[in-house]
């Protein structure tokens, strides 16, 4: 038996879920094959949505299981659905069911039909047994999917670029194929076990999100997000005018639409890259990050109103909405939250009311709109305290976050002191009966049994799936 001195402490591990978006390069007939699958999934979404909207009523609910059971009949009536991997069709129905559940909970609006001209078709492969990722010695990679390299007579493997290696021991759970303008991407959802990050002991910071200054910290540090330049705005106007002039259904209109999509995709990639870098910098330097709980959806709602009650200052509100969306407040919050979890930090949200109108002086605390006579300058009318308006708001946000933490700590301590510990009860161990149902139902079993394996390439390695 080992001595107590030889026993090593067991490090705590966490199972994390992450995603990696990789560029894929389909060639020859592969792009048209991907577009056929995306078009079939888009059509299935619209058919299922129309079925729910028309036939679902009180006492006769139509959900995922009812619609998934009709896929076999749909394939017999329309054979082109049989050429689409069955899992992709099932996942489309699951996504529609999730959209309805979010609508019923008040988290989103009513699901809308999908249109081809909107672009952005995507479909998902949820079964790790149906796909394979092979990485070569020189960084090149290939992706094998049903209809793409799974059998010898199909469209072949898809070339892919792994921009960065996945975490050690990562197990890919699903692959989502999507198109952005003329580029194709594969989003890998994987999970792996990592050591729990040590608690970040850096100083706390409050952050104020604005339009002129996208993010201002209570430490005085500010971050900027690249905005579209005048030249890019002029190019955007030219592309939109060119698209509007083209004849509907013509090839020239499709060319103009693709050019406009490429422009938007470029701006979107640049913005996301900047937000990622901001989030990483903030999370590395601060253990506690306090932000405002902003409802961006309501803040960017249109002000045009209705015919009976038209809105006021519609053009000014539209410009403000455009400026907020160009920065991406909610995306920045999500990136900061993800980066903070990675580095052992914490993100706390506080109410945003009057953060930029409250005097940060502890001896004053006066709240008045007159303190913001000028947009970028704060001048307290009670005590005369002056400073940058965004910096003052960030300091007030941090103060509110610390008050919330102290209040939670006091409540937990008082609850622990009042409640007496109870003796643990001995519970009988019971085994759950039955086998778990397959994630994609019985309809996917017959389809997967038809797929043939393919030998791995020499000189490379296959990712753990």
């Amino acid at each position: 038996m080992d001595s107590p001195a030889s026993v090593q402490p067991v490090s705590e591990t966490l199972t994390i879920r992450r995603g990696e978006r990789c560029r894929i390069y389909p060639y020859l007939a592969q792009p048209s094959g991907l577009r056929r699958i995306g078009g079939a999934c888009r059509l299935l979404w619209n058919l299922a949505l129309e079925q729910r909207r028309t036939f679902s009523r009180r006492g006769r609910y139509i959900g995922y299981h009812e619609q998934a059971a009709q896929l076999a009949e749909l394939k017999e009536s329309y054979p082109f659905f049989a050429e689409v991997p069955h899992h992709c069709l099932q996942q489309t129905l699951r996504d529609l069911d999730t959209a309805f559940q979010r609508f019923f909970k008040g988290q989103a609006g009513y699901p809308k039909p999908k249109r081809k001209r909107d672009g952005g078709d995507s479909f998902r492969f949820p079964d790790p047994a149906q796909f394979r990722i092979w990485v070569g010695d020189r960084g090149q990679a290939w992706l094998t999917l049903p209809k793409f390299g799974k059998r010898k007579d199909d469209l072949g493997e898809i070339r892919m670029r792994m921009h960065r290696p996945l975490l050690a021991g990562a197990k890919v759970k699903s692959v989502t194929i999507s198109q952005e303008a003329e580029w194709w991407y594969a989003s890998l959802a994987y999970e792996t076990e990592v050591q729990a990050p040590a608690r970040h002991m850096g100083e706390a910071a409050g952050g104020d999100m604005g339009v002129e200054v996208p993010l201002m910290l209570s430490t005085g540090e500010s971050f900027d997000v690249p905005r579209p330049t005048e030249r890019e705005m002029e190019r955007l106007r030219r592309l939109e005018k060119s698209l509007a002039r083209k004849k509907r259904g013509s090839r020239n209109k499709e060319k103009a639409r693709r050019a406009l999509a490429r422009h938007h995709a470029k701006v979107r990639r640049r913005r996301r890259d900047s937000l990622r870098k901001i989030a990483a910098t903030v999370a590395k330097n601060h253990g506690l990050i306090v932000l405002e709980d902003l409802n961006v959806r309501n803040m960017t709602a249109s002000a045009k109103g209705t015919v009976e009650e038209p809105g006021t200052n519609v053009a000014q509100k539209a410009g403000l909405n455009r400026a907020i969306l160009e920065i991406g407040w909610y995306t920045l919050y999500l990136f900061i939250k993800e980066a903070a979890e990675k580095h052992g930090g914490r993100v706390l949200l506080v109410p945003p009311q009057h953060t930029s109108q409250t005097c940060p002086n502890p001896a004053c605390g006066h709240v008045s709109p007159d303190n913001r006579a000028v947009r970028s300058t704060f001048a307290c009318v009670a005590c005369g305290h002056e400073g940058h308006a965004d910096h003052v708001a960030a300091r007030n946000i941090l103060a509110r976050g610390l008050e919330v933490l102290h209040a939670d700590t006091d409540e937990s301590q008082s609850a622990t002191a009042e409640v007496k510990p109870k003796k643990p009860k001995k519970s009988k161990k019971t085994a759950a009966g039955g086998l778990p149902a397959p994630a994609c139902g019985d309809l996917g079993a017959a389809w997967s049994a038809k797929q043939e394996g393919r030998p791995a390439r020499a000189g490379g390695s296959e990712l753990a799936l």
Side-chain angles (χ1 to χ4, degrees):
M1 184 175 180
D2 296 337
S3 60
S6 63
V7 177
Q8 299 294 332
V10 180
S11 59
E12 183 181 358
T13 59
L14 297 175
T15 300
I16 62 173
R17 295 177 176 86
R18 292 289 184 267
E20 189 68 31
R21 193 182 190 211
C22 305
R23 176 87 179 272
I24 60 176
Y25 300 87
Y27 60 97
L28 298 180
Q30 290 179 350
S32 60
L34 295 175
R35 283 193 291 268
R36 282 197 300 269
I37 297 177
C41 292
R42 182 180 66 252
L43 176 60
L44 178 63
W45 171 285
N46 294 336
L47 292 176
L49 176 61
E50 184 66 21
Q51 184 185 38
R52 289 198 181 203
R53 184 164 50 191
T54 306
F55 299 102
S56 181
R57 58 178 62 92
R58 186 182 298 275
R60 187 173 66 180
Y61 174 75
I62 300 178
Y64 164 75
H65 297 285
E66 290 78 8
Q67 292 184 325
Q70 301 175 11
L71 285 178
E73 182 181 354
L74 183 66
K75 291 181 178 181
E76 292 180 0
S77 303
Y78 303 96
F80 65 88
F81 277 111
E83 301 176 0
V84 179
H86 192 75
H87 286 183
C88 299
L89 301 177
Q90 287 182 325
Q91 291 302 306
T92 300
L93 296 179
R94 285 194 179 276
D95 293 341
L96 179 61
D97 188 70
T98 301
F100 270 99
Q101 296 300 327
R102 289 175 55 83
F103 167 71
F104 294 144
K105 295 178 181 178
Q107 299 175 352
Y110 192 84
K112 297 180 180 180
K114 293 184 177 181
R115 301 180 299 180
K116 179 180 180 180
R117 64 182 182 182
D118 293 338
D121 287 341
S122 64
F123 47 92
R124 184 166 59 254
F125 297 89
D127 187 5
Q130 295 296 308
F131 56 80
R132 184 173 56 185
I133 302 172
W134 182 86
V135 182
D137 298 334
R138 299 181 180 180
Q140 70 275 24
W142 287 269
L143 175 63
T144 301
L145 298 169
K147 304 292 184 180
F148 298 91
K150 195 70 176 177
R151 305 178 68 173
K152 295 182 179 180
D153 56 347
D154 57 14
L155 298 178
E157 297 172 327
I158 302 176
R159 188 164 60 92
M160 182 174 66
R161 178 179 294 276
M162 296 290 293
H163 303 282
R164 60 185 63 85
L166 303 182
L167 298 178
K171 297 181 179 179
V172 183
K173 295 298 183 180
S174 67
V175 176
T176 302
I177 305 298
S178 60
Q179 184 181 16
E180 182 177 339
E182 296 181 354
W183 300 281
W184 291 90
Y185 297 91
S187 299
L188 313 179
Y190 65 94
E191 66 178 24
T192 183
E193 292 186 356
V194 298
Q195 290 187 352
R199 184 177 179 183
H200 199 309
M201 302 307 294
E203 66 172 324
D208 175 69
M209 295 184 184
V211 175
E212 291 190 5
V213 181
L215 180 63
M216 170 71 77
L217 299 183
S218 57
T219 58
E221 188 177 6
S222 62
F223 299 91
D224 194 12
V225 177
R227 319 289 181 86
T229 62
E230 289 295 332
R231 184 175 180 180
E232 290 176 335
M233 294 299 296
E234 179 61 28
R235 174 173 172 78
L236 176 61
R237 286 189 288 268
R238 291 201 309 269
L239 292 175
E240 291 176 342
K241 288 182 179 180
S242 176
L243 179 63
R245 293 192 185 104
K246 298 297 185 293
K247 183 179 179 181
R248 178 177 296 183
S250 64
R251 292 185 178 181
N252 288 334
K253 192 175 185 66
E254 180 63 19
K255 292 179 182 179
R257 187 195 64 80
R258 291 181 180 179
L260 182 60
R262 287 195 299 268
H263 176 82
H264 284 302
K266 178 182 177 181
V267 175
R268 190 183 306 114
R269 289 195 302 268
R270 182 178 60 189
R271 178 173 59 246
R272 292 177 66 90
D273 178 71
S274 177
L275 296 180
R276 284 285 188 187
K277 293 177 180 178
I278 293 174
T281 302
V282 175
K284 288 179 182 179
N285 298 332
H286 303 283
L288 174 65
I289 306 165
V290 186
L291 301 174
E292 293 175 300
D293 189 6
L294 301 175
N295 192 334
V296 182
R297 174 176 296 179
N298 292 345
M299 295 177 65
T300 55
S302 175
K304 62 182 180 181
T306 60
V307 177
E308 294 78 10
E309 297 181 0
T312 58
N313 298 327
V314 179
Q316 293 85 339
K317 184 62 169 61
L320 177 61
N321 294 349
R322 189 182 306 109
I324 293 175
L325 296 176
E326 285 177 354
I327 297 174
W329 286 352
Y330 187 71
T331 305
L332 178 58
Y333 158 70
L334 294 178
F335 288 171
I336 292 178
K337 182 180 179 181
E338 179 182 348
E341 293 176 355
K342 178 181 178 181
H343 294 282
R346 180 182 178 185
V347 177
L348 183 64
L349 298 179
V350 296
Q353 287 77 12
H354 309 296
T355 53
S356 61
Q357 300 177 1
T358 304
C359 181
N361 187 1
C364 179
H366 180 66
V367 182
S368 174
D370 298 334
N371 295 340
R372 290 283 305 278
V374 182
R375 199 221 68 83
S376 61
T377 304
F378 179 91
C380 182
V381 296
C383 68
H385 179 83
E386 296 183 358
H388 194 280
D390 295 335
H391 187 213
V392 169
R395 292 173 57 187
N396 290 328
I397 292 170
L398 176 60
R400 290 187 183 184
L402 296 178
E403 291 178 0
V404 172
L405 286 181
H406 293 327
D408 293 344
T409 303
D410 295 340
E411 290 180 2
S412 61
Q413 291 178 354
S414 61
T416 305
E418 293 176 1
V419 179
K420 295 181 180 180
K422 296 181 180 180
K423 296 182 179 180
K425 295 181 180 180
K426 296 182 179 180
S427 59
K428 298 181 180 180
K429 297 182 178 180
T430 58
L435 296 176
C440 296
D442 296 335
L443 293 178
W447 183 264
S448 61
K450 298 179 182 179
Q451 307 296 340
E452 299 179 2
R454 190 167 186 172
R457 295 174 179 264
S461 60
E462 184 177 347
L463 293 183
L465 302 178

